[in-house]
Amino acid sequence: MKNIGIITQARMTSTRLPGKIFREAHGRPLLSYHIERLQKTGLDLAIATTLNSTDDCVSDFAAQNNLKVHRGSEENVLSRFYETATKHHFGLIVRVTSDCPLIDPHLIRNSIEKYLKINNENLYMSNAIERTFARGFDFEIFSFKLLEEAFLKAVDKADQEHVTPYIWKNTSGNTEFYHIKQDTDHSSLRITVDTPEDYELIKILIEKYQADKLDYHSIEELLIGHPELTSINADIEQKKV
């Protein structure tokens, strides 16, 4: 399973906070923080965006920063991911989403190393199913084989819209699981960006606490030590898959 690639999905038409990926902190778009942290993994990286004219700016951002990009269906994100992986010959895929500007590169890299040691194309590895990390550090790792199987066989709209449910629901019966966990449950913490309140928190974390330079553990400890920060978006409910 060579050619490991991170695919991040990015679009401008978020329902709760349109244009969120280009909201700024310290004069920089959140998308640039997301990409910068992912690049620290040392892995190949591609942005999967849509064909909509509203996402021309995403494609332009990729071009300006010499990033791989693929444009595909807005609704069938599974097809967009499959096309991206095929176009760039990714044999092992790390799926992330661009609403996680503080995603942790070392956590991803360490998990990739575990995945490679296991060496099983039917393995699905993630820290987002049995959640112990703050929401905003989410990633999934799976082979092109599993992605292609989902692309060819998934017919439910929800499976196509959210990319991996066909895999993690084990619809095929072939999926094997490895859940990345930490000893302390910090799953109540939220550093993803989906609402104005989320953006307010991320902006403070970056501008006041330089969280873009911190690892996941330091960010979680920072939030635990400052309940006034966690209260900013404590009432936000995550959208259901």
Side-chain angles (χ1 to χ4, degrees):
M1 286 182 285
K2 298 179 181 179
N3 300 324
I4 305 168
I6 300 173
I7 300 177
T8 182
Q9 62 193 70
R11 64 187 177 98
M12 291 294 287
T13 53
S14 167
T15 53
R16 295 205 283 188
L17 189 62
K20 62 187 180 183
I21 58 175
F22 284 109
R23 300 259 176 158
E24 294 189 347
H26 263 322
R28 289 176 54 193
L30 297 184
L31 182 59
S32 73
Y33 289 101
H34 174 73
I35 295 298
E36 181 180 67
R37 287 173 74 87
L38 290 175
Q39 288 175 326
K40 290 179 180 178
T41 64
L43 301 173
D44 209 349
L45 171 65
I47 298 176
T49 193
T50 83
L51 293 165
N52 298 347
S53 60
T54 51
D55 288 323
D56 288 350
C57 58
V58 179
S59 183
D60 291 343
F61 174 88
Q64 291 162 8
N65 291 277
N66 197 29
L67 299 169
K68 293 182 173 68
V69 65
H70 176 73
R71 304 184 71 167
S73 169
E74 178 180 24
E75 298 300 327
N76 191 335
V77 192
L78 173 56
S79 72
R80 199 195 320 161
F81 261 74
Y82 175 76
E83 291 163 1
T84 304
T86 302
K87 178 179 179 179
H88 298 295
H89 308 289
F90 292 161
L92 183 60
I93 294 103
V94 182
R95 178 186 178 236
V96 297
T97 56
S98 58
D99 52 7
C100 300
L102 297 179
I103 194 162
D104 188 277
H106 305 294
L107 184 58
I108 291 174
R109 186 75 202 190
N110 290 342
S111 299
I112 282 286
E113 290 174 2
K114 290 178 183 177
Y115 194 106
L116 292 175
K117 286 179 181 178
I118 296 172
N119 192 29
N120 180 354
E121 285 192 313
N122 290 321
L123 185 66
Y124 167 85
M125 179 179 285
S126 177
N127 67 343
I129 302 298
E130 295 185 5
R131 185 180 296 279
T132 58
F133 293 88
R135 189 178 294 275
F137 295 134
D138 303 24
F139 64 87
E140 301 167 280
I141 305 172
F142 46 88
S143 66
F144 180 80
K145 173 181 178 288
L146 287 182
L147 177 62
E148 185 171 50
E149 182 177 49
F151 170 72
L152 294 174
K153 296 182 179 180
V155 293
D156 290 349
K157 184 177 179 181
D159 289 352
Q160 295 173 344
E161 180 183 357
H162 298 287
V163 184
T164 54
Y166 182 91
I167 298 173
W168 54 253
K169 288 189 297 188
N170 198 15
T171 308
S172 68
N174 297 324
T175 306
E176 298 181 33
F177 296 87
Y178 191 117
H179 301 290
I180 301 294
K181 299 180 183 181
Q182 58 182 343
D183 293 337
T184 305
D185 184 359
H186 290 155
S187 60
S188 63
L189 301 176
R190 180 181 176 87
I191 55 165
T192 187
V193 180
D194 197 39
T195 69
E197 293 87 352
D198 294 332
Y199 170 57
E200 179 185 356
L201 174 59
I202 289 292
K203 194 169 188 295
I204 292 171
L205 286 173
I206 292 174
E207 294 185 346
K208 185 175 180 179
Y209 296 98
Q210 293 76 51
D212 55 302
K213 302 294 192 290
L214 303 178
D215 62 16
Y216 78 89
H217 179 72
S218 299
I219 294 172
E220 289 180 338
E221 290 300 313
L222 173 63
L223 289 171
I224 291 167
H226 292 80
E228 75 279 7
L229 295 178
T230 57
S231 67
I232 292 173
N233 64 350
D235 295 330
I236 302 302
E237 184 177 349
Q238 184 71 13
K239 289 189 294 185
K240 301 291 189 289
V241 173

